[in-house]
Each structure stands twice: as structure tokens, then as C-alpha cells.
Amino acid sequence: MAQAKITVIGSLNIDMVTETDVMPEQGETLIGNAFSSFTGGKGANQAVACARLGAAVTMIGCVGEDAMAQQLRDALRAENIDMTNVKTVPYKSTGIAAITVTEGDNRIIVIPGANHCLLPEDVLALKEVIAASDMIMLQHEIPLETVEASIKLAHSLGIPVILNPAPAVRLPEQLLSQLHLITPNESELAIVTGLERQSTPEALLEQYPNPIVMTAGSNGAYYKGADGELGHVPGHTVEVVDTTGAGDTFNGALAVKLSEGASLQEAVQFAVAASALSVTKLGAQSGMPLRQAVEAFIKQSS
């Protein structure tokens, strides 16, 4: 099997994680349990997930002119990710995410910093990199005009794109039609498309005209392929430590399997298993599993 070549266009952040038993109310000060700092950002997370699952990964993005930028570069290079096209932006801070973890769930505030300096012309200048990819991955932690330009460029080159539309914003139908897949959760899907929520996930997906994979947390994922057939892959029961990065793990796993020629059902099954493993450890990238672990977990679960 040829190694999948995946290019991730997106954000690079430092995640600052605070663990606490109780989420503070407005104006309240509490004593927390622990603090940790991890490399993160939805783009970088998805790049790490793809690399650990066996893909050759190229990262396109921006970092600031600070010590956190070097921390990110070192961490992603250690995962064998090509960082040639990650630009340093003078006088800008590297993006950060302030994450509070309580009872296995999280609340996140993102400060984009240099991530908002990734412009359409930066991506258009890398046409040859895009053209040499098996798959392009995008998210919404970079400027929307850059996301749109990347989709249009990849579509013109015949390169499939997976868009994880988070944070969610409304997107035009023409742009959505140029995607290979969109991977929202239920609330993101409503925002991105303007569709009204339905009684069942299947009924919601039936309204969407294009291929889609909708993540559903502990309930796994629902999907609709190019032929319009609906499917559901249930979640796995695991001990949850930290859900940060679970969606990014899911997207990376999905991209890797699809790039290798797997069916949509096979890719979703692999992605659900990978994301289940990721929540059993603290931190987004630090919790992302290797391919052997995912394959062993699927075998054990079946």
C-alpha cells in the first residue's frame, strides 16, 4: 500500500490546560488540580494524527516570533511532519488555546495570533504542494477567505478536501459542493448549512445534498456517501480522561483511510476507534494513538 500524502492547511497553537473538579462561576476563584502545556491547534493536531496513523504529512500555516513557535516546530518535526511551509510572522504571537478540563469534558478559548496571518496568496503560492497531495485537510481556525481559496484551488486541481468546520460559520452551497467531505457535529452542521435540526441524525443528513460525516461524540458518527446511502458507526465505551483533540484525531484517521482507498464505512469505523483511544489520555496531540494501537483496539472490540 502506497503511503498517503496529506497536506494540512490550518492552525498551530499552544494548548494551556487547567484541570479542576468544578467549573468556576462568573467572578469566582477556585483552586485547580493541575496545569499542563501541550502543542495543539486544530491544524497541527490533525497533522499529528495523520502522521501517527501512517501518512506522509505536510503542514501549511503560520506561527509567531516567540519561544512557543519553536516548541511547535520541534514537536511536529519529531512526528516527521514537513514544516517547510510553516511561516514565521514577525511581531505576532503564536496562537494559544486556554482549556479548562472538568469531569472529562472541556471548555476552550482560542486566541488566533499568527494563525490569522495565513492568507489566500500564501496557499496559492503552494500550488505544486497541493497538486502533489492525495488529500487536503482544512478547519476554521484560519481566515475564512483562506479556507475558501484553498478549497477552490484543490478542487481545480482535482485534489479531494476534507473540511472540519470548527468553529462553525455559514458557508455558501457552491463551496460546500466542492468538498470531498465535510465533518461537523450536529450543532456545527446546523450553523454551516442553515438546516434545521431533525428528530434523528439520519433525518438531518438526508437534507444535506453532499457527502458528509457527522460526529456524535460517544455515539460515534453518522455518514452519507456520494450515492446517498446513510450509515452509522456506534462509539466505543472507554474511560474518558480528556476529550480535547478527539475530533482532530477522528478527522486525521478518516483522511488517512480514505487516502489509502478505503470505503467511507471502513474509514469512519477506523476514525471512531482512533478518537475513542484519544480520549483516554490527557492532551490533544499527546493522546493521539499510533496505527498499531488503533488496529489492535478494533480487533479487540470486534
Side-chain angles (χ1 to χ4, degrees):
M1 182 187 301
Q3 187 180 29
K5 296 169 65 177
I6 296 176
T7 296
V8 180
I9 305 172
S11 58
L12 301 100
N13 291 336
I14 294 295
D15 292 346
M16 299 180 177
V17 183
T18 301
E19 299 176 66
T20 176
D21 292 331
V22 180
M23 191 69 66
E25 300 292 337
Q26 184 173 348
E28 182 182 17
T29 300
L30 297 174
I31 301 299
N33 297 333
F35 173 81
S36 307
S37 177
F38 302 95
T39 49
K42 295 189 74 63
N45 289 347
Q46 291 178 16
V48 170
C50 290
R52 290 191 182 175
L53 295 170
V57 183
T58 295
M59 183 78 214
I60 297 174
C62 292
V63 292
E65 199 173 38
D66 51 30
M68 292 188 294
Q70 192 59 49
Q71 183 182 348
L72 278 160
R73 289 185 181 279
D74 291 345
L76 269 64
R77 285 193 184 110
E79 303 286 349
N80 296 314
I81 294 169
D82 184 347
M83 297 289 285
T84 305
N85 298 303
V86 173
K87 182 174 71 172
T88 298
V89 183
Y91 312 113
K92 277 285 185 180
S93 62
T94 297
I96 66 115
I99 303 170
T100 303
V101 179
T102 305
E103 296 181 346
D105 207 352
N106 61 65
R107 297 184 184 186
I108 305 173
I109 299 174
V110 175
I111 309 298
N115 290 309
H116 274 192
C117 296
L118 183 65
L119 302 177
E121 51 263 38
D122 296 318
V123 176
L124 295 175
L126 298 172
K127 181 178 179 179
E128 292 183 0
V129 175
I130 305 298
S133 307
D134 294 319
M135 183 77 72
I136 304 299
M137 301 189 70
L138 284 160
Q139 326 78 34
H140 281 171
E141 289 183 345
I142 56 176
L144 185 57
E145 58 265 29
T146 306
V147 173
E148 293 178 346
S150 301
I151 293 170
K152 291 174 181 177
L153 174 60
H155 182 71
S156 72
L157 296 170
I159 307 300
V161 176
I162 292 178
L163 172 64
N164 178 218
V169 294
R170 184 71 180 269
L171 296 176
E173 292 182 12
Q174 183 179 9
L175 192 71
L176 291 171
S177 69
Q178 294 179 359
L179 295 170
H180 183 67
L181 275 178
I182 189 169
T183 59
N185 59 31
E186 186 172 351
S187 62
E188 290 164 350
L189 178 58
I191 295 170
V192 169
T193 64
L195 295 174
E196 294 183 2
R197 295 194 182 189
Q198 298 294 314
S199 56
T200 66
E202 291 87 352
L204 179 58
L205 295 193
E206 281 181 344
Q207 296 182 89
Y208 185 71
N210 306 309
I212 183 172
V213 175
M214 188 178 78
T215 57
S218 60
N219 289 324
Y222 297 83
Y223 62 90
K224 181 168 75 171
D227 58 0
E229 183 177 353
L230 298 172
H232 174 225
V233 175
H236 299 271
T237 301
V238 295
E239 183 178 349
V240 177
V241 174
D242 181 9
T243 59
T244 309
D248 297 326
T249 302
F250 181 97
N251 278 273
L254 188 71
V256 170
K257 289 296 282 187
L258 289 174
S259 297
E260 292 174 352
S263 69
L264 183 57
Q265 180 183 15
E266 292 169 336
V268 174
Q269 288 172 337
F270 185 77
V272 167
S275 61
L277 280 180
S278 75
V279 304
T280 63
K281 295 181 180 179
L282 184 65
Q285 293 177 17
S286 57
M288 290 175 171
L290 296 172
R291 183 160 189 145
Q292 301 93 310
V294 179
E295 291 174 343
F297 181 68
I298 292 173
K299 186 176 181 181
Q300 178 184 353
S301 300
S302 61

